[in-house]
Amino acid sequence: MDGNVHLLPQNDMLRALHTIIRDRACTHGSFVFHSRRVIRLLMEAAMNLLPVGKKDVVTPVGATYEGLEITAELCAVSVIRAGDSMELEFRELCPAAPIGKILIQRDKQTKLPRLYYSHLPPDIADRHVLLLEPMLATAGSALAAIGVLVEAGVPEEAVIMINFLSSPEGLRRVHAERPGVRIVTSSIEEGLNEHAFLLPGIGDFGDRFFGTADAGARR
Ligand code: PRP
């Protein structure tokens, strides 16, 4: 995978969290609690990709700590609806940063994305953007969302997309069409099935997070 993809360390803790939330028997409450732990890790990993400058501080014992500070102005843009699941963790890390919204929904039959609405911070072209998009399957939705950001003046290099799960084909497609965009993900999946669902997958992330899944829906 190319250098623009940042995969969280696949350690035992992360695999244990994935094991809980990928289980079709996982309750709604448990899904929210444990997926938020992963989202927090994703958010911290994304912050690690922001530009920094040197900053020295004097410690309480009078010594100098030669440190760093993040120099970028930041905002998040949530791809409604599933992206809203990541907003709380972003808000906890960056309480004063603006959050934009893009509403894209896939056609249930064709799986093609349709843009319904966007509302972005007016100075977004001067900011780094964390694009909150839990699922990267065909990458149609993600590319449509990135297109909205680029249209608003955001350079690709200032876009960091946060996926919970990514398909190899989706990652390849984003890299081919938007080579400057970086992606942080907690899993690169085996691939997509004939219905464009991720395998082994997690189901419909938005439905499971917001508690709106049909009892029989196991996407
Ligand atoms: C899901 C998911 C992504 C998209 C990924 O959204 O949240 O936005 O599909 O698939 P793609 O890479 O093939 O475009 P969906 O349209 O199901 O709406 P939701 O956010 O309400 O779940």
Side-chain angles (χ1 to χ4, degrees):
M1 206 50 69
D2 74 272
N4 280 6
V5 177
H6 299 263
L7 177 64
L8 290 188
Q10 301 293 291
N11 56 32
D12 288 351
M13 185 194 70
L14 182 66
R15 286 178 53 81
L17 290 170
H18 269 260
T19 304
I20 293 168
I21 58 185
R22 286 176 189 258
D23 186 341
R24 62 194 298 165
C26 181
T27 62
H28 176 218
S30 178
F31 187 90
V32 171
F33 180 81
H34 293 97
S35 65
R36 285 188 62 188
R37 286 185 56 190
V38 177
I39 291 167
R40 180 66 175 234
L41 297 172
L42 287 164
M43 210 61 71
E44 297 281 6
M47 304 284 278
N48 187 45
L49 301 179
L50 296 171
V52 291
K54 289 187 177 183
K55 181 177 182 177
D56 294 350
V57 291
V58 178
T59 70
V61 293
T64 298
Y65 176 75
E66 296 174 2
L68 298 173
E69 65 179 350
I70 291 173
T71 53
E73 292 294 327
L74 190 59
C75 72
V77 172
S78 166
V79 181
I80 304 170
R81 170 187 62 149
D84 290 353
S85 64
M86 296 179 159
E87 246 185 58
L88 275 174
E89 271 62 37
F90 176 76
R91 184 54 81 212
E92 282 183 1
L93 293 180
C94 308
I99 298 179
K101 298 279 183 181
I102 298 176
L103 174 54
I104 292 171
Q105 295 280 283
R106 296 186 305 178
D107 183 282
K108 295 286 179 208
Q109 305 305 323
T110 66
K111 305 298 174 198
L112 292 175
R114 182 166 165 205
L115 173 66
Y116 287 89
Y117 165 88
S118 68
H119 197 137
L120 304 174
D123 59 351
I124 194 166
D126 301 321
R127 293 177 179 272
H128 274 63
V129 180
L130 300 192
L131 182 62
L132 311 182
E133 170 57 294
M135 310 286 277
L136 186 73
T138 66
S141 307
L143 286 166
I146 294 166
V148 172
L149 299 179
V150 170
E151 186 74 17
V154 182
E156 288 179 16
E157 290 71 19
V159 178
I160 301 169
M161 178 160 59
I162 304 184
N163 294 157
F164 206 102
L165 303 183
S166 314
S167 73
E169 43 273 73
L171 291 171
R172 280 194 293 271
R173 192 173 163 207
V174 173
H175 184 61
E177 297 188 27
R178 296 292 185 184
V181 170
R182 290 168 290 173
I183 300 174
V184 178
T185 183
S186 77
S187 173
I188 299 174
E189 297 287 281
E190 290 167 13
L192 300 175
N193 70 10
E194 68 275 20
H195 304 295
F197 298 159
L198 290 158
L199 293 175
I202 203 166
D204 185 309
F205 195 93
D207 274 338
R208 294 194 74 192
F209 191 92
F210 292 109
T212 53
D214 295 341
R218 300 298 181 208
R219 249 178 62 180

